[in-house]
Amino acid sequence: MGYLKQHPDANGFFGEYGGAFIPPQLEPHFKAIAEAYDRIASDASYINELRYIRKHFQGRPTPVSHARNLSRAIGGANIYLKREDLNHSGAHKLNHCMGEALLAKHMGKKKLIAETGAGQHGVALATAAAYFGMECEIHMGEVDIAKEHPNVMRMKLLGATVVPVSFGARTLKEAVDSAFMSYMDQGEEAIYAIGSALGPHPFPKMVRAFQQIIGEEAREQFIEMTGELPDHAVACVGGGSNAIGLFSGFIEDPEVQLHGVEPLGKGPGKGNHAATITYGKPGQIHGFNCIVLADEEGNPDPVHSIASGLDYPGVGPEHSYLHDLGRATYGTADDKETLEAFYALSRYEGIIPALESSHAVAYAMKLAKGRNGQTILVNLSGRGDKDLDYVTENFGFGEDLSI
Ligand SMILES: *Cc1c(COP(=O)(O)O)cnc(C)c1O
């Protein structure tokens, strides 16, 4: 039996990581989700409906592109991109949001509830809710609402209710608390839709299954293009959903090296980065075990990244496990390297990447050097339109690009 079938175990554990540590009132709801998912995962009508949606609504399969100019400019390995920026709504997140919403529909639920930080998950979930004609309630800190105005407008246009969260630091952590509280009162008619391959069981397993389409497509497309498997597969890691999606296509091919890329931000000091696996230790956060950045009492550290989709002090349990196993390696790109990659991909390939995805590109650019004859497949998790104003107003247009 292969790795994917064996992991996680029946209780959602990847070794010591994962599980579900939740308030007793929520236990029946998470159990119901796990059972419903196991039931429909092999149901032909569910599988066909998801297949139809991916093709006719999301625009899948997304292509693999050979980054010829960039590879030549660096001089080394050949870099290829799996183009999740071309998935509808501009990132990979819609892959799991459509899967979660379809599951909710099959469970007879009428409403989707979630939190959002920068608004990317909120927009993807609101898109899914509109498609299925469901209600959507997104909890968002007041600080983030002020910072991420365009995404708030998008969610409202898509028909979602945005609930401002006004306690504590008024950012992502409080939004999670607020969304959980609301879910406790509405568990019968609503489903809580987590935005990455993390959270209590069964979400890490489910989100991996929904994102696996990235790796499955990419493996087939890459072989068709080159006749071989890639030597390296690279993806950025926030919670870990786009990375696990790519990795799962190659995890049973031991000759493919898997690389997760964490945000090193302004450097290794506490509060300057969100490189959880690189600098963290085993612990617990938001109802599951994983590697965390936390103090001795387990309080999460403050985190920073130029890419707001990556700044979380925990990480998916499966990445924690793959790290300990040594099956995947986890490296970093800092804010400066990330900006260079953002400019380089725009200039050399005509593709403006999300700042999150730029971390993976930056790492691939470092990896490519001196590796002539090898190939690197990068998951380009999203497009950079959302980051244009921030980057150009603060850093200009990359006039002094050094490659
Ligand atoms: C949210 C986001 C990420 C980070 O989330 P993962 O779950 O780690 O994939 C990466 N890229 C983009 C474009 C995002 O929107």
Side-chain angles (χ1 to χ4, degrees):
M1 197 162 61
Y3 168 90
L4 291 169
K5 281 229 156 63
Q6 272 177 19
H7 299 86
D9 72 13
N11 297 314
F13 281 94
F14 300 86
E16 66 180 288
Y17 304 110
F21 304 87
I22 48 182
Q25 309 97 289
L26 285 180
E27 270 171 25
H29 297 312
F30 276 81
K31 232 192 187 132
I33 294 172
E35 283 168 9
Y37 177 71
D38 284 343
R39 211 167 40 242
I40 63 170
S42 53
D43 178 273
S45 79
Y46 178 84
I47 293 168
N48 285 335
E49 202 172 348
L50 198 53
R51 207 171 272 161
Y52 181 93
I53 289 167
R54 283 173 174 158
K55 180 167 176 191
H56 297 286
F57 181 64
Q58 293 181 230
R60 305 201 68 91
T62 59
V64 166
S65 305
H66 181 192
R68 254 188 214 94
N69 304 329
L70 181 66
S71 303
R72 200 172 295 143
I74 294 166
N78 266 300
I79 297 174
Y80 293 78
L81 309 166
K82 174 61 173 166
R83 301 288 307 280
E84 290 304 294
D85 59 315
L86 295 176
N87 196 30
H88 176 48
S89 82
H92 71 287
K93 282 199 175 71
L94 196 63
N95 297 335
H96 61 247
C97 287
M98 294 306 284
E100 288 171 341
L102 183 58
L103 173 67
K105 189 186 117 175
H106 278 250
M107 291 176 77
K109 307 283 184 189
K110 311 224 155 5
K111 188 171 187 176
L112 305 170
I113 298 178
E115 74 289 336
T116 195
Q120 296 302 107
H121 177 52
V123 170
L125 197 65
T127 302
Y131 180 92
F132 288 105
M134 299 176 99
E135 286 176 62
C136 186
E137 179 184 303
I138 302 293
H139 295 250
M140 190 169 185
E142 283 180 341
V143 170
D144 291 326
I145 288 180
K147 254 178 30 197
E148 308 290 348
H149 186 69
N151 277 342
V152 177
M153 297 299 101
R154 285 187 187 105
M155 285 186 269
K156 288 186 174 170
L157 271 176
L158 293 162
T161 304
V162 179
V163 180
V165 178
S166 55
F167 57 88
R170 297 178 293 148
T171 59
L172 180 60
K173 183 181 174 302
E174 291 76 24
V176 175
D177 296 338
S178 171
F180 255 97
M181 282 190 293
S182 181
Y183 180 49
M184 280 200 221
D185 297 334
Q186 307 183 71
E188 293 302 325
E189 66 270 14
I191 194 171
Y192 186 70
I194 291 177
S196 185
L198 43 67
H201 176 66
F203 280 91
K205 168 176 127 172
M206 252 168 45
V207 169
R208 178 185 75 191
F210 295 142
Q211 292 294 350
Q212 199 170 334
I213 188 71
I214 299 175
E216 279 170 11
E217 286 177 6
R219 188 177 189 282
E220 202 180 302
Q221 292 164 321
F222 194 87
I223 291 174
E224 190 187 305
M225 280 175 94
T226 68
E228 293 169 355
L229 285 167
D231 295 301
H232 307 271
V234 177
C236 66
V237 177
S241 66
N242 89 86
I244 209 66
L246 181 73
F247 290 2
S248 54
F250 301 98
I251 203 153
E252 293 174 12
D253 300 304
E255 64 270 44
V256 180
Q257 292 186 42
L258 309 175
H259 305 265
V261 186
E262 300 194 305
L264 187 56
K266 292 181 276 200
K270 179 167 160 168
N272 286 340
H273 64 83
T276 308
I277 294 178
T278 310
Y279 293 106
K281 54 185 186 312
Q284 199 178 95
I285 191 169
H286 290 139
F288 64 102
N289 293 339
C290 65
I291 296 179
V292 290
L293 292 167
D295 65 16
E296 297 304 323
E297 278 94 59
N299 305 306
D301 286 347
V303 282
H304 160 84
S305 166
I306 194 170
S308 50
L310 300 181
D311 56 1
Y312 184 64
V315 66
E318 191 164 9
H319 289 291
S320 308
Y321 179 66
L322 291 175
H323 166 263
D324 287 6
L325 272 188
R327 176 61 188 97
T329 47
Y330 293 83
T332 60
D334 66 19
D335 286 353
K336 189 165 170 290
E337 293 166 333
T338 297
L339 274 171
E340 288 258 314
F342 177 90
Y343 292 128
L345 201 70
S346 303
R347 184 85 53 83
Y348 282 103
E349 299 296 338
I351 300 169
I352 302 174
L355 281 172
E356 290 81 4
S357 326
S358 302
H359 283 77
V361 176
Y363 184 86
M365 287 164 65
K366 295 191 277 189
L367 192 64
K369 287 192 187 121
R371 288 196 162 82
N372 298 66
Q374 296 192 17
T375 53
I376 302 173
L377 175 61
V378 177
N379 196 21
L380 201 72
S381 55
R383 65 175 186 232
D385 305 48
K386 67 185 178 61
D387 301 312
L388 283 187
D389 289 349
Y390 171 75
V391 170
T392 55
E393 280 165 24
N394 290 283
F395 306 101
F397 293 86
E399 297 88 345
D400 52 0
L401 186 62
S402 63
I403 69 153

